[in-house]
Amino acid sequence: SDLEDLCFHINAKISNIKKCILLRNIGEDERRKAALHKIGNEVILIHELLNKMETEVKQQEKLRDLLKEIQKTAERDRNETQHLLEHIPPYLPKPDQSWKHEEQTKAVQPKSAKKPAKETKLIREVALITTEEFESVPAYLKGRLAYDQINAVVQEVNKALVAKYKILYQPLKTMSVPVRNLYNRFIEEETKDTRGLFFIVEADIKEFTQMKLDKRFHSILNILRHCQRVREVRGSGLVRYVIC
């Protein structure tokens, strides 16, 4: 088989040499020089067209890759938006009526009407983790935790935050005895390092949620610290999770 391949290769080379000799002889024929010159010009034009086509193909390939990246980004944004729509915390306030209705109400409101009640103080909550942030978390922190598990804990933390600060913003005269006891504990847990900040402790999570404060919970807290959602303030044997 190898000998046959070698013979075929040698015969092909001999055939190519014969063709080259034949073409050289044709090129020396005065009657065929004009035709050969014309063919040479056509070959040059075809070569230029091929170069232009190659450049255009490369540009189209770059455009294709760019469009793929844009498509991936759009799909990622769509998935994040869909996730946010499907996981809207139930404690968020519902939207008010349209601004047109508000303007009409202000227009017909008499000057002697009472001033509206003071707006409720805002409570800072933990922002949900995005898919990009989740992907950037080191593997040793994530372990087997899933993206949805982390945001589920975030929502429970926010639930405890809202419940705690609603009590802190509640007038003292309206508090029952158990609520007053919680209020006093909240005040005692304040320090100079947490003054003016929103924070919770593990006792708040036990009080206002059904979440277990197990190893998985603390692993998720480490991820939230890594993503700069919370930070720890320690003191008097207590860990305070301050909202960033």
Side-chain angles (χ1 to χ4, degrees):
S1 176
D2 293 339
L3 182 58
E4 290 177 356
D5 292 340
L6 179 60
C7 290
F8 177 80
H9 178 71
I10 293 174
N11 289 332
K13 292 294 184 181
I14 293 172
S15 177
N16 289 335
I17 292 171
K18 288 180 179 180
K19 290 177 182 179
C20 289
I21 294 173
L22 179 61
L23 290 172
R24 185 186 64 180
N25 294 334
I26 292 173
E28 294 175 353
D29 190 343
E30 295 295 334
R31 294 174 299 174
R32 295 184 173 89
K33 278 188 176 182
L36 290 174
H37 182 70
K38 184 178 179 181
I39 293 172
N41 291 335
E42 293 292 336
V43 170
I44 293 173
L45 291 175
I46 291 173
H47 183 69
E48 292 177 353
L49 288 174
L50 287 174
N51 287 337
K52 290 181 180 179
M53 184 177 295
E54 184 179 0
T55 302
E56 182 66 24
V57 168
K58 289 181 179 179
Q59 290 178 350
Q60 292 297 326
E61 288 177 347
K62 289 182 180 179
L63 181 60
R64 179 200 62 191
D65 295 339
L66 178 61
L67 290 174
K68 284 184 178 180
E69 290 297 324
I70 294 174
Q71 182 181 8
K72 289 181 181 178
T73 302
E75 290 178 353
R76 183 170 61 249
D77 292 343
R78 182 192 63 186
N79 292 336
E80 290 183 3
T81 303
Q82 185 64 30
H83 176 80
L84 291 175
L85 287 174
E86 293 174 356
H87 297 82
I88 296 177
Y91 47 78
L92 289 180
K94 296 181 179 180
D96 297 332
Q97 295 179 348
S98 65
W99 65 272
K100 291 184 179 179
H101 179 73
E102 292 179 356
E103 291 297 328
Q104 291 174 356
T105 304
K106 290 179 181 179
V108 298
Q109 186 177 9
K111 294 182 180 179
S112 59
K114 294 182 179 180
K115 294 183 179 179
K118 188 177 181 180
E119 294 183 358
T120 305
K121 293 182 179 180
L122 295 178
I123 299 172
R124 185 167 187 175
E125 300 179 20
V126 181
L128 295 173
I129 299 297
T130 65
T131 54
E132 290 181 352
E133 289 176 312
F134 179 74
E135 291 173 357
S136 68
V137 175
Y140 75 90
L141 282 179
K142 282 193 291 190
R144 296 184 178 179
L145 290 170
Y147 171 75
D148 292 336
Q149 290 177 311
I150 296 173
N151 278 334
V153 171
V154 170
Q155 292 177 6
E156 290 298 305
V157 169
N158 286 337
K159 180 180 177 182
L161 268 169
V162 172
K164 172 184 176 178
Y165 282 89
K166 278 186 176 179
I167 292 175
L168 284 171
Y169 295 154
Q170 183 179 340
L172 291 176
K173 61 183 179 180
T174 63
M175 293 181 183
S176 62
V177 174
V179 173
R180 185 63 177 267
N181 291 335
L182 286 173
Y183 175 87
N184 291 333
R185 175 172 70 81
F186 298 156
I187 297 300
E188 290 174 358
E189 291 168 351
E190 289 274 3
T191 69
K192 63 179 182 178
D193 295 324
T194 62
R195 191 171 294 113
L197 303 175
F198 293 89
F199 73 93
I200 58 171
V201 298
E202 291 188 2
D204 302 329
I205 297 174
K206 291 180 181 178
E207 179 71 31
F208 300 114
T209 73
Q210 301 296 322
M211 191 163 48
K212 294 181 180 179
L213 306 184
D214 51 11
K215 183 178 179 181
R216 185 179 72 114
F217 169 76
H218 288 93
S219 297
I220 293 176
L221 278 181
N222 289 335
I223 293 176
L224 295 180
R225 284 199 298 270
H226 174 79
C227 294
Q228 297 182 355
R229 292 298 192 273
V230 299
R231 61 182 178 88
E232 290 184 359
V233 173
R234 296 175 180 266
S236 303
L238 192 66
V239 180
R240 299 159 182 83
Y241 300 103
V242 179
I243 312 307
C244 297

